[in-house]
Amino acid sequence: MEFEPVIGLEVHAQLLTQSKIFCGCTTQFGNPPNHNTCPVCLGMPGVLPVLNKKAVEYAVKVGLAVGCEIQPRSLFARKNYFYPDLPKGYQISMYDRPLCTGGAITIETSGARKRIGLTRIHLEEDAGKSIHHADDRTYVDLNRAGVPLIEIVSEPDIASPEEAHAYLSALRTLLLYLGVCDGNMEEGSLRCDANVSVRPAGRKELGTKIELKNLNSFKFIQRALQYEIERQGEILRTGGKLTQESRLYSPDTGVTSSMRSKEEAHDYRYFPEPDLLPLIVSDPWIEEIRRALPELPLARKDRLVREYGLPAYDADVLTSSSGLCDYFETAARASGNPKGASNWVMGEVLRRLKEEKAEIADCPVPAERLAALIGLVSAGTLSGTLAKEVFEEMWRSRRSPEEIVRARGLTQVSDEPELLAIIEKVIAAHPGPLAQYRSGKEATFGFFMGQVMKATQGKGNPVVVQKLLKEKLRGA
Ligand code: ADP
Ligand code: MG
Ligand code: ZN
């Protein structure tokens, strides 16, 4: 029997607020353990939480960007549990009255678009971190306790590990565009639990779901899902039964293993948080947040194709970050040559950034200067090869392309008489290859081309050289 997978993702994203969600402690990453703490996030008796308005604004921003309905009135709830790294003994979260409901994230896999429905987005506080030390003890760092999180819960609309990857990638890009999360999976700012079940192909009812924890990279998520789908299929095919549970994926072995039987909602004894008022968000505030939304990745991608006539592939790469896309658009407009700008950004610019592990914000070549360089190529002043050399020097010296061309006497030679003189000299010096060419061995042309370009020190305009060389070799 054939089985098909059904996947739903629960993503936690840390919000980039300066302070924690219910106290004034900083959210700064990397401080000494337990440095970012106060009586509130340490769970001392008698303290009261105060809601961070920025966290609500960011959650609403995400909700609006994915088409959620923003609830005018939502409720915080206590989720009770033994959390070794959350000293209150409960997490302040949202339960039956979340801030955002509905919405969808559009994904693209092999060119086709699909909407993955969202169930909800709610606000909650992060827990601290348990650090399992080599000395066999476990230490607790509460710097993270109380950092604001949004949890984004998808409908079980995801049909393959590839779609799960595309969903996470689209969500991550969106959060970065909105500037509400840094998207760093290694540092844990973006975390994902994956729920997966299988069912006989074509059947409506959902199978028993397994929750996969501890997935801290896109690669692991895809692999863990792949493994789990095969494991579940195998159990069902051999007449076995699955029970709902949480499983842990080990990147080392590539295998999932049972962690605990899955808690039911009633195990958490959720109840409305008595220390916080209902969360009321007003329409005017929602509209204000909506007006400040930036152009979103997919809309921007479609616009690049429409407005600049770029191939979908280019638009995809260029919209992977809003900073990169801003850079491209500046270069495209200033040069009047969008495809040229796209080629340069996707090629040399990204290559050099990657080499230096730098972000576009750190690019030493401003977009306007790249546009000037593109202009020099279009005008025939620089050949493609020379332009790459000039780019490299622009990168290193932070000088303008015109300055570099002038200082190094790099201007391309298109003057026909000057080139003809060189070509004649080269041909006269190689009677053997000339005879071969004239006897029909066309491949010798490349040899002559190389010799002439060398003789011009790379400055010969290749188009003109090619034309003149052909004529001369034919005996004109
Ligand atoms: P829980 O209460 O156990 O957290 P939820 O109903 O909140 O379960 O669902 C959690 C996630 O699991 C959601 O993303 C949802 O889409 C997904 N999910 C629910 N049922 C299934 C299933 N049978 N197979 C795969 N995913 C599922
Ligand atoms: Mg859940
Ligand atoms: Zn605090």
Side-chain angles (χ1 to χ4, degrees), residues 193-262:
D193 296 335
N195 299 271
V196 53
S197 61
V198 298
R199 63 183 170 194
R203 211 177 73 174
K204 270 254 156 7
E205 303 92 285
L206 297 174
T208 304
K209 84 170 190 266
I210 303 288
E211 185 186 38
L212 298 174
K213 295 262 182 198
N214 194 28
L215 305 170
N216 63 358
S217 85
F218 281 60
K219 198 170 69 190
F220 295 157
I221 290 164
Q222 227 175 327
R223 285 194 193 151
L225 284 170
Q226 204 72 57
Y227 174 85
E228 190 56 27
I229 290 162
E230 275 165 36
R231 188 187 73 87
Q232 293 181 19
E234 197 48 39
I235 290 175
L236 296 182
R237 256 189 295 277
T238 53
K241 265 193 70 169
L242 290 160
T243 44
Q244 188 167 312
E245 62 177 350
S246 295
R247 294 178 73 86
L248 212 55
Y249 174 73
S250 156
D252 300 329
T253 58
V255 160
T256 66
S257 54
S258 185
M259 185 164 105
R260 54 171 193 236
S261 65
K262 172 79 183 151

Side-chain angles (χ1 to χ4, degrees), residues 255-429:
V255 160
T256 66
S257 54
S258 185
M259 185 164 105
R260 54 171 193 236
S261 65
K262 172 79 183 151
E263 300 79 3
E264 304 281 340
H266 61 248
D267 294 328
Y268 291 117
R269 288 288 180 264
Y270 278 102
F271 63 84
E273 170 58 59
D275 290 342
L276 286 165
L277 291 165
L279 173 58
I280 311 284
V281 291
S282 70
D283 278 346
W285 192 38
I286 293 175
E287 286 320 307
E288 192 185 317
I289 298 171
R290 193 195 304 277
R291 273 196 304 276
L293 283 180
E295 186 180 21
L296 301 177
L298 265 192
R300 197 163 192 190
K301 185 179 159 185
D302 290 343
R303 183 171 61 77
L304 291 196
V305 172
R306 217 174 42 239
E307 193 175 317
Y308 301 106
L310 290 184
Y313 175 82
D314 293 39
D316 207 36
V317 175
L318 296 171
T319 51
S320 60
S321 94
S322 60
L324 188 71
C325 201
D326 292 343
Y327 184 94
F328 159 75
E329 289 208 72
T330 307
R333 292 200 182 122
S335 67
N337 180 352
K339 183 55 184 159
S342 167
N343 290 345
W344 275 95
V345 174
M346 293 198 307
E348 294 302 289
V349 175
L350 281 183
R351 185 181 64 75
R352 290 298 270 119
L353 287 175
K354 200 171 161 198
E355 256 172 35
E356 312 216 343
K357 297 192 172 56
E359 301 288 328
I360 190 70
D362 313 317
C363 181
V365 176
E368 292 80 3
R369 283 200 173 160
L370 178 65
L373 179 65
I374 293 169
L376 290 175
V377 178
S378 311
T381 311
L382 286 176
S383 68
T385 320
L386 281 181
K388 279 188 186 165
E389 270 178 45
V390 173
F391 178 80
E392 186 55 36
E393 193 158 334
M394 288 164 74
W395 189 284
R396 273 187 277 117
S397 69
R398 295 176 184 243
R399 287 192 297 163
S400 77
E402 295 88 350
E403 230 182 306
I404 295 167
V405 165
R406 224 179 303 121
R408 289 183 42 187
L410 281 179
T411 311
Q412 176 169 265
V413 179
S414 305
D415 182 58
E416 297 205 0
E418 192 178 333
L419 290 173
L420 262 180
I422 295 171
I423 288 171
E424 277 163 4
K425 231 187 258 168
V426 167
I427 291 180

Side-chain angles (χ1 to χ4, degrees), residues 27-33 35-36 141 143 187:
T27 55
Q28 221 168 60
F29 187 79
N31 283 342
H35 183 84
N36 308 349
D141 176 3
N143 283 352
E187 286 177 5

